[in-house]
Amino acid sequence: MEESALNYPVTSKRTNQMIPTLEINKKLETKKNVAIAMSATFILLEAVLFTLIYFYLYEYRIAAEFKRSMDLFNIDSPRFLSYFIFYAISSIVYMFFVYRYKIFQFRASSGLADELFKMSKAFSFAILVTIGVSFFLKYIELSRLVIFLYWASAVVACGALRIAKRFIYFRFARHELVAKNVIIVGAGKVGQSLMDEIKENKWLGYKIVGFVDDKVVKDFSGYRYLGTTSELKEIIQKHLADELIITIPSERELVHSIITDLRKIDIKIKIIPDMFNLVMSTVQIGNLSSLPVVTLVKTPMRGFGLLFKRIFDIVSACIIFVLISPIFLATAIAIKLDSPGPVFYRQQRLGKNGKMFHMLKFRSMVTDAEALLSKLQQHNEVDGIAFKMKHDPRTTKVGRFIRKYSIDELPQLLNVIKGDMSLVGPRPPLPNEVQQYGDWEWRRLEVLPGMTGLWQVSGRSDLSFQQWMSLDIYYIENWSVSLDLKILLKTIPVVLKGEGAY
């Protein structure tokens, strides 16, 4: 369906814009991966700690009761099974609340007292929920003393671990190893107040790189002047900023211009309020110490919903892959018998935030399809930068069939399992398509690309390029789990009928 590459002329301006943007996103992704690794290590240490506490208490209680410690961990023992189930359920519930309260990060996201309170609340809820489940499952042969001591000891021990983590974090932050680089936009009263707040509250985990302002053109109060707002993209690239905080809400046109220009970069943008009518995207209200802020949320695809979407993608893709393996085999044989060349076709595409990956498809065209494209450009049957042709002479006999029923797309299940794609989302564009994107079209790269999406169930190749883009942007701004399920269900009859595919 999209095997052919485009051959449109590309302006040097657009190319020069794209390459630095991808480089910035790549560097920012590396920083994020380091932060994720540190957070994962901390959570693993916490899990090991409360696991050791739980099973030590179990061993001590049972050994004291039966005067021996042999065969205590025999999985065939009903007593051990009851305790193990209690441990497993309480651990899962605890981790759920750790994620919900956002206290899993190595970087500080709140004050120490607040983090310890949320951790204690998470353990308390985990124990209470598990006790209720245990009664429901009739696993009630549990020592109340063990459960109480486990709760108290785990809260104290994990609290101590989190205090130690905080001291380690501050030590790292002083050496600028974990602090988030933040740039302040605006050096007025709000901007100065914000910089003072960040400087005083080290637990926020911010390092003020400096500020940008179109009026103030020099350093002041110990804060570094970085340049004007028109130079923001270059400044972000130079200093590898993690966040941008805008403190000039009254200058709406300027703020709108900044947001539009930086949409391509995977940087978090926060805004000091009084600009709710400025941006149509979703906003998230919060605070930075004593100052309220509004965080620009590019898509509702975040948090627990995003985690559920990823788990659903992996499980569903694996099941579908196993069920349709006979179709895979039959298609591979048919392609090999129909025309010379490989069975699979690997094509470079751009995914979330412009990340390059190789999308897999069953080969549906002759092997020299790319070379023949230039001769067919005048026969393009869609407007915009995409190339579509109903009776493309490069398509093989088997190719026409598998493209009509989207069988050629099935190998992308491997891309979904790998994490380059999702089951539902915008289709991944070609690199030279993206080179011609404007700011609006670039929004398609804010989420993982998908095997199917709104445009596939709304006309597929019969839609114009503009309609295609509009449907993708609508999906990104209005995503929900139920919307994904509706699209998946609607995809089945559309594919079986072969509607709009060529």
Side-chain angles (χ1 to χ4, degrees):
M1 190 185 301
E2 300 168 72
E3 209 164 289
S4 58
L6 299 181
N7 197 26
Y8 283 81
V10 180
T11 63
S12 59
K13 179 182 178 182
R14 188 60 78 181
T15 303
N16 291 335
Q17 286 179 347
M18 176 186 173
I19 294 175
T21 298
L22 296 182
E23 289 176 351
I24 296 172
N25 284 343
K26 186 175 181 180
K27 291 177 181 178
L28 290 173
E29 184 177 4
T30 300
K31 289 190 70 175
K32 287 182 180 180
N33 289 338
V34 171
I36 290 172
M38 296 178 75
S39 299
T41 301
F42 162 69
I43 288 298
L44 180 62
L45 285 174
E46 187 173 61
V48 170
L49 181 61
F50 66 67
T51 298
L52 291 175
I53 291 173
Y54 182 84
F55 285 105
Y56 172 79
L57 291 171
Y58 164 79
E59 192 277 341
Y60 178 81
R61 179 69 179 87
I62 302 302
E65 182 177 345
F66 292 97
K67 307 300 182 183
R68 62 186 179 88
S69 59
M70 296 179 62
D71 298 324
L72 294 177
F73 299 99
N74 182 357
I75 60 174
D76 296 325
S77 168
R79 182 173 291 271
F80 175 77
L81 185 61
S82 297
Y83 276 89
F84 182 80
I85 290 176
F86 188 94
Y87 159 77
I89 296 174
S90 62
S91 299
I92 292 172
V93 175
Y94 173 68
M95 288 301 175
F96 168 78
F97 280 108
V98 164
Y99 180 83
R100 182 171 182 178
Y101 294 151
K102 299 186 185 303
I103 54 173
F104 57 87
Q105 296 176 340
F106 181 80
R107 286 173 170 172
S109 58
S110 62
L112 178 59
D114 184 56
E115 181 177 347
L116 294 178
F117 173 74
K118 288 178 179 178
M119 182 272 298
S120 302
K121 189 162 65 170
F123 255 116
S124 301
F125 283 153
I127 296 298
L128 290 173
V129 169
T130 311
I131 289 174
V133 173
S134 298
F135 276 102
F136 179 75
L137 297 177
K138 298 182 179 179
Y139 287 110
I140 56 177
E141 295 183 10
L142 302 170
S143 169
R144 287 176 227 161
L145 180 61
V146 168
I147 294 174
F148 174 77
L149 289 177
Y150 170 56
W151 170 78
S153 302
V155 168
V156 172
C158 291
L161 178 64
R162 288 179 178 272
I163 293 173
K165 180 204 73 170
R166 189 63 63 115
F167 280 111
I168 295 172
Y169 170 79
F170 283 142
R171 182 173 291 273
F172 282 1
R174 280 197 295 271
H175 291 85
E176 301 180 0
L177 296 176
V178 296
K180 300 177 187 177
N181 292 338
V182 62
I183 294 175
I184 309 300
V185 179
K189 291 183 178 180
V190 177
Q192 293 181 45
S193 177
L194 175 63
M195 287 187 277
D196 292 339
E197 286 279 351
I198 291 175
K199 191 174 182 179
E200 292 175 8
N201 295 277
K202 298 293 185 182
W203 59 265
L204 289 170
Y206 284 115
K207 174 194 170 185
I208 301 176
V209 175
F211 66 91
V212 298
D213 197 288
D214 293 336
K215 297 178 181 178
V216 179
V217 292
K218 61 180 180 179
D219 298 355
F220 73 94
S221 301
Y223 302 115
R224 184 181 175 189
Y225 172 70
L226 301 175
T228 63
T229 55
S230 62
E231 302 170 301
L232 260 175
K233 189 174 293 186
E234 292 77 15
I235 292 171
I236 291 171
Q237 182 181 18
K238 180 180 178 181
H239 297 282
L240 206 58
D242 298 282
E243 290 191 14
L244 189 76
I245 304 180
I246 300 174
T247 67
I248 49 173
S250 59
E251 300 183 40
R252 299 197 171 197
E253 290 186 8
L254 176 58
V255 176
H256 187 276
S257 175
I258 291 172
I259 293 172
T260 301
D261 193 43
L262 297 184
R263 276 198 179 277
K264 304 183 185 71
I265 299 177
D266 186 24
I267 184 174
K268 182 176 287 187
I269 300 174
K270 292 185 176 180
I271 306 167
I272 301 299
D274 191 29
M275 55 168 298
F276 294 98
N277 297 322
L278 175 63
V279 186
M280 296 302 294
S281 305
T282 307
V283 294
Q284 189 174 44
I285 302 173
N287 65 285
L288 195 74
S289 188
S290 63
L291 293 176
V293 297
V294 173
T295 301
L296 178 68
V297 179
K298 298 180 179 180
T299 171
M301 198 181 299
R302 64 189 188 277
F304 184 73
L306 182 59
L307 177 64
F308 175 83
K309 179 179 174 68
R310 181 63 190 137
I311 294 173
F312 179 80
D313 280 343
I314 295 173
V315 174
S316 300
C318 289
I319 293 174
I320 295 171
F321 186 82
V322 172
L323 293 177
I324 66 172
S325 54
I327 299 177
F328 260 75
L329 180 60
T331 305
I333 294 173
I335 292 172
K336 208 65 180 173
L337 294 175
D338 180 50
S339 63
V343 171
F344 296 103
Y345 179 80
R346 297 171 75 247
Q347 190 176 49
Q348 280 193 339
R349 296 287 178 124
L350 293 185
K352 185 177 180 180
N353 296 320
K355 180 182 178 181
M356 194 84 70
F357 72 98
H358 286 95
M359 188 179 77
L360 292 175
K361 301 178 73 172
F362 280 123
R363 182 175 61 84
S364 61
M365 288 186 173
V366 294
T367 53
D368 58 344
E370 301 287 352
L372 297 173
L373 178 62
S374 59
K375 300 178 182 179
L376 300 172
Q377 290 288 2
Q378 59 182 339
H379 302 292
N380 189 13
E381 298 177 12
V382 296
D383 61 346
I385 61 178
F387 178 85
K388 297 289 181 183
M389 187 175 175
K390 283 187 177 181
H391 303 291
D392 196 325
R394 301 171 300 162
T395 309
T396 63
K397 293 179 181 178
V398 172
R400 279 191 287 274
F401 178 81
I402 64 176
R403 285 161 75 95
K404 181 176 181 180
Y405 295 102
S406 297
I407 297 174
D408 62 324
E409 311 283 359
L410 293 180
Q412 288 157 39
L413 289 169
L414 299 175
N415 290 119
V416 174
I417 295 171
K418 185 181 177 182
D420 292 325
M421 295 178 64
S422 176
L423 289 177
V424 182
R427 288 297 291 165
L430 293 160
N432 49 353
E433 285 180 351
V434 176
Q435 288 171 353
Q436 301 176 71
Y437 275 7
D439 297 322
W440 185 70
E441 289 87 356
W442 184 276
R443 294 207 60 197
R444 300 180 70 245
L445 302 180
E446 292 177 0
V447 300
L448 280 178
M451 290 182 64
T452 186
L454 266 181
W455 77 276
Q456 283 95 332
V457 299
S458 304
R460 300 172 81 178
S461 297
D462 291 332
L463 296 175
S464 68
F465 177 77
Q466 194 67 23
Q467 290 172 321
W468 177 3
M469 294 296 105
S470 297
L471 287 171
D472 282 342
I473 301 302
Y474 175 86
Y475 170 79
I476 291 170
E477 293 184 341
N478 298 275
W479 175 84
S480 67
V481 174
S482 60
L483 180 58
D484 269 7
L485 293 176
K486 288 177 183 177
I487 292 173
L488 286 172
L489 291 175
K490 287 185 177 181
T491 299
I492 297 173
V494 169
V495 169
L496 292 177
K497 293 177 183 178
E499 296 176 344
Y502 53 88

